[in-house]
Structure formats: structure tokens, C-alpha cells
Amino acid sequence: MALQNDYQDVLDVAKNVGAKIETREENGKLVIKGSVDHAFDRDRMWDQIKAKHPKWNDEVMVMLTVTHAEPYGLHTVKSGDTLSKLAKDIYGDMKLYTKIFEANKDQLKDPDHIKVGQVLKLPPKTIANPA
């Protein structure tokens, strides 16, 4: 249980992205096994692991299958959301809001006007912020 407590932030991200996971501690490692809808969701979990847990390689094993091939993740707009805030939370750079806007031009006419309840496509980091 100690590792589950240490990695609660990762389990919270898993819950937020809708991952269907099981966790157990085995041989001194936290094993996270299950599935996510999009590679983007899996990558958000890995980003959380690597950003907050310097000993992750010795402490955690993740086995996730991706159930949908399309590259976009989805986000349902909540009160207080802006494209800049989403870009900062997801990509680490609020200026990348334009990538979210471009992916959603079918439903957005202005990046400053999003509505609660709208479902936005979120490009994966590799598209939003190419290396």
C-alpha cells in the first residue's frame, strides 16, 4: 500500500483520463495494468510518473493497452476552462492553445469562446509540441 500512496497522483490522473486499471504491489514495485482509450491518455499518466517520481524506474511497472487508434484525446469543458489553461495543464505551455483551437475548428470560431459541456479534441504532445 505504501507505493500506492506514493503514486496516488498518478492514480488520480488515471481516473481523470478514464483509464480502466488494476493496481497491486509486487516484488517492491507498484504494478499498474489495464487500458486507456487513447495513447494521449497513456502519455499523460507517464508524464505524471516521470515528472514527480525520480525513482519511478525502480518503483513502478505500467502495462496499458490503448483501445482507440486515433491520436486525439478528449476533454469536456468545465467552468473556468480556457484553451490556454488546458494547454498549460496538458502541454506545459499556455501558448500551445492554438494547437487545441486548430484541432477543434469544426466547432470553434474563436479561441476565446468555449462553452461548458463542449467536448474538445486534444492533440497529443508529439503533434502539439514537436521536438
Side-chain angles (χ1 to χ4, degrees):
M1 277 306 264
L3 285 174
Q4 286 192 10
N5 290 336
D6 291 347
Y7 284 84
Q8 186 60 50
D9 59 317
V10 175
L11 302 178
D12 291 342
V13 170
K15 181 179 178 183
N16 289 340
V17 300
K20 297 162 191 73
I21 61 169
E22 296 177 6
T23 60
R24 68 180 184 278
E25 291 189 29
E26 182 177 294
N27 298 325
K29 285 195 175 200
L30 175 63
V31 178
I32 302 172
K33 184 177 180 179
S35 66
V36 293
D37 288 337
H38 306 278
F40 177 82
D41 301 324
R42 177 201 58 211
D43 295 346
R44 287 181 70 185
M45 290 175 62
W46 273 113
D47 289 345
Q48 184 70 25
I49 290 169
K50 291 176 180 178
K52 304 285 183 175
H53 303 279
K55 298 188 292 181
W56 70 267
N57 205 28
D58 296 325
E59 297 178 336
V60 69
M61 179 186 310
V62 179
M63 298 175 287
L64 295 171
T65 57
V66 176
T67 57
H68 294 82
E70 66 271 5
Y72 294 102
L74 300 174
H75 175 78
T76 302
V77 176
K78 299 179 214 60
S79 179
D81 280 349
T82 65
L83 295 187
S84 295
K85 181 179 180 302
L86 290 173
K88 176 71 172 154
D89 291 348
I90 295 165
Y91 310 119
D93 184 348
M94 65 189 310
K95 293 182 223 154
L96 293 176
Y97 78 91
T98 57
K99 299 298 183 179
I100 300 171
F101 177 66
E102 290 296 320
N104 291 280
K105 278 194 157 185
D106 59 327
Q107 62 176 325
L108 298 177
K109 303 297 179 229
D110 181 331
D112 294 325
H113 293 98
I114 62 175
K115 298 176 187 154
V116 172
Q118 272 182 308
V119 178
L120 302 177
K121 294 181 291 252
L122 301 174
K125 281 185 161 187
T126 55
I127 292 173
N129 193 8

